[in-house]
Amino acid sequence: MNDRIRRKKEEEMTISILNEHDAEAYQELRLKALQNNPEAFGSTYEREAAFSRSFVEERLRPSDDKFTMGAWVDGELGGIVTFVRETSPKMAHKGNIFGMFVSPDMRGRSVGRSLLEELLQHVKGLDGLEQINLTVVSDNEPAKRLYTSAGFKVFGVEKHGLKFGGSYYDEDWMVLKL
């Protein structure tokens, strides 16, 4: 009998709304996202690598209608997601999810699910918010499974929604009715 006992270290995960003090960690993970999955985002690494520290700090300054959540795993920022509510009076019943990313070394640990669940819990308290929209690259099956499991439904497909490196990527448009 092998008397070694293997124990999986319990990871400590904290989900929080990021602010200007998190700018360095956020920018590092955001640039990693743009390098690892450039086809999945509307922005580029080159564009965002040029952003000043003050620009990133302002980007992270939360309000009731705009915030970025981060998942901290054992003190390291391992996932991010941004929520932005529409500001037009005729569209203020809608919000959007942007820029969701989980670091490759954090995947498979429920980081994305925890982030999405926390974001949804938070926005359900916003007065007058009725639906949340997002887009996801059509062939990103893990992300689509996550969104579908949270109740999002595809309502359209934008052919050639993104173009990167000479290739086109279709995007599924998804909605969650609150």
Side-chain angles (χ1 to χ4, degrees):
M1 180 171 134
N2 186 346
D3 58 355
R4 280 195 209 168
I5 299 174
R6 294 185 183 186
R7 296 177 191 228
K8 180 181 176 193
K9 180 184 173 201
E10 280 297 316
E11 296 174 323
E12 183 178 316
M13 185 186 318
T14 305
I15 307 288
S16 65
I17 293 178
L18 302 181
N19 62 41
E20 57 274 16
H21 303 292
D22 302 308
E24 186 176 340
Y26 168 83
Q27 184 67 346
E28 182 179 318
L29 187 59
R30 176 71 177 164
L31 292 175
K32 187 177 189 178
L34 294 168
Q35 283 181 313
N36 286 342
N37 299 102
E39 76 289 349
F41 300 97
S43 191
T44 66
Y45 175 86
E46 295 75 20
R47 177 177 177 260
E48 293 200 20
F51 287 170
S52 69
R53 173 75 178 247
S54 61
F55 181 88
V56 176
E57 289 173 356
E58 184 57 35
R59 181 184 221 183
L60 286 180
R61 201 172 316 276
S63 70
D64 289 341
D65 296 330
K66 175 190 79 73
F67 58 86
T68 297
M69 285 192 157
W72 300 88
V73 181
D74 293 332
E76 178 184 346
L77 187 59
I80 50 178
V81 62
T82 297
F83 173 82
V84 179
R85 187 172 189 168
E86 297 287 348
T87 56
S88 166
K90 291 182 178 180
M91 295 174 31
H93 66 288
K94 298 187 294 185
N96 301 285
I97 291 177
F98 296 107
M100 180 141 183
F101 178 74
V102 174
S103 180
D105 57 326
M106 299 280 178
R107 293 177 186 167
R109 299 173 169 181
S110 297
V111 173
R113 178 167 308 285
S114 297
L115 262 175
L116 186 59
E117 287 174 356
E118 189 67 28
L119 182 144
L120 294 175
Q121 194 62 33
H122 186 78
V123 300
K124 284 180 181 176
L126 297 178
D127 188 42
L129 187 68
E130 298 174 15
Q131 72 184 54
I132 301 172
N133 298 328
L134 62 83
T135 61
V136 59
V137 172
S138 297
D139 64 2
N140 186 344
E141 292 301 327
K144 287 172 49 176
R145 276 193 305 274
L146 172 63
Y147 298 138
T148 300
S149 74
F152 284 86
K153 298 197 180 329
V154 173
F155 68 88
V157 176
E158 182 180 5
K159 297 291 185 185
H160 296 184
L162 295 173
K163 183 179 179 182
F164 176 75
S167 296
Y168 291 99
Y169 297 89
D170 297 345
E171 288 188 300
D172 287 2
W173 289 68
M174 301 183 83
V175 64
L176 174 67
K177 302 286 187 179
L178 299 177

